[in-house]
Amino acid sequence: MNEARLADLNEIQDFFTRVDRPSVEPIGVKDFIGWCNNPYKNDSNRTVDDQANVLGQTVRSLNCLNEDRLMEMKSALKEGRWNEWLKNNGIKASPEDAVFYLALKHRTDSQGHYRFYFDKDSVAEIDAFNPFKDNTTVLDQQWHVLISLLAFRDVAHALSNEWHECHCLYQHIKDWDKGDLNALELRFSRYASGTIELQLRSKGKNWQRQPSSAMNEWLRVALCRP
């Protein structure tokens, strides 16, 4: 991270520790990825039945399939036989989560770290295929942010490119395409109740709330480090 962007991240930490105001200036997603790769060590001891948790369960389930079954899954998605394939294989998964998993396999390195499409040098330094803490059912909140929140949107936009190897599956995930991830802005807001919340938007668009209490608490504790 360059010094200017690092200053912005320090400002966010000031917001949690010393500054009493409703929000801070937005930061770019690339610098946020860099910060999330080395957060203050704090673990979530709980999980909730939300979209990120369901995605994590899907990633873990599909990662147990061999390449032949994954090819069959891709064909089922492409040919409109998704529900039939699910029934025959005893798997529960939404088509968009399955498409994300297939694209995820194309964009991870030998350590399973996800490489963001906008910059090959930016990597989520966390195992993309291990969503839960120590093989429990507790969702890893670092995975939640880097993979479920950011990589999912990154994949959705990448598949819009007709030259992408999974472009034929874009129809299933296009609602998650919010544009170039590099143009995404993030900010934190504090409410009168004391709740801290991450928000994001594409430049020029409205801010979107990220209401996951577990994720926001993980970020708050990490940013409040001494």
Side-chain angles (χ1 to χ4, degrees):
M1 288 182 285
N2 60 48
E3 291 182 0
R5 301 311 297 173
L6 183 60
D8 286 345
L9 294 177
N10 286 337
E11 183 183 8
I12 291 178
Q13 292 172 3
D14 287 342
F15 164 66
F16 286 99
T17 57
R18 293 184 294 277
V19 181
D20 184 17
R21 56 181 173 172
S23 65
V24 296
E25 293 301 313
I27 63 169
V29 67
K30 182 178 178 180
D31 293 293
F32 185 67
I33 291 168
W35 177 82
C36 281
N37 280 333
N38 294 286
Y40 176 73
K41 182 66 175 177
N42 65 289
D43 295 328
S44 172
N45 295 318
R46 63 191 180 90
T47 193
V48 292
D49 189 18
D50 62 8
Q51 195 167 34
N53 187 55
V54 172
L55 175 62
Q57 293 173 352
T58 298
V59 166
R60 187 162 64 179
S61 296
L62 297 183
N63 207 42
C64 294
L65 303 182
N66 61 36
E67 291 299 322
D68 288 341
R69 292 182 72 188
L70 290 176
M71 288 299 296
E72 292 172 0
M73 183 179 80
K74 183 176 181 179
S75 295
L77 286 162
K78 184 179 179 180
E79 298 167 7
R81 298 183 289 103
W82 180 239
N83 290 333
E84 177 187 347
W85 186 88
L86 288 179
K87 183 178 180 180
N88 291 338
N89 287 273
I91 291 175
K92 294 182 180 180
S94 67
E96 59 264 33
D97 286 358
V99 169
F100 172 68
Y101 174 78
L102 290 173
L104 193 67
K105 288 180 67 66
H106 285 285
R107 198 61 178 186
T108 49
D109 61 21
S110 59
Q111 294 177 295
H113 294 173
Y114 179 81
R115 295 182 176 273
F116 289 90
Y117 281 90
F118 64 81
D119 187 338
K120 292 181 180 180
D121 294 329
S122 294
V123 179
E125 295 180 3
I126 187 170
D127 186 347
F129 304 105
N130 189 21
F132 300 95
K133 299 294 294 184
D134 301 322
N135 296 317
T136 67
T137 58
V138 178
L139 188 68
D140 185 325
Q141 295 305 319
Q142 188 179 18
W143 187 93
H144 187 163
V145 176
L146 289 171
I147 305 301
S148 176
L149 182 65
L150 298 179
F152 199 101
R153 286 167 170 78
D154 191 36
V155 162
H157 181 60
L159 264 61
S160 66
N161 187 327
E162 63 180 8
W163 299 109
H164 192 280
E165 54 265 67
C166 294
H167 174 69
C168 61
L169 305 179
Y170 178 65
Q171 58 178 316
H172 295 294
I173 204 170
K174 63 182 180 180
D175 289 345
W176 288 93
D177 181 4
K178 305 302 179 183
D180 183 4
L181 192 70
N182 201 27
L184 196 68
E185 294 179 322
L186 303 101
R187 73 176 184 184
F188 293 88
S189 291
R190 186 197 301 273
Y191 294 95
S193 63
T195 301
I196 300 297
E197 182 179 86
L198 174 66
Q199 300 178 350
L200 57 84
R201 71 173 178 181
S202 300
K203 290 181 180 178
K205 303 295 184 179
N206 294 329
W207 288 101
Q208 295 182 336
R209 299 178 57 207
Q210 306 303 312
S212 168
S213 58
M215 182 186 75
N216 285 319
E217 177 64 12
W218 179 82
L219 289 167
R220 184 192 69 78
V221 173
L223 287 164
C224 279
R225 66 185 185 271

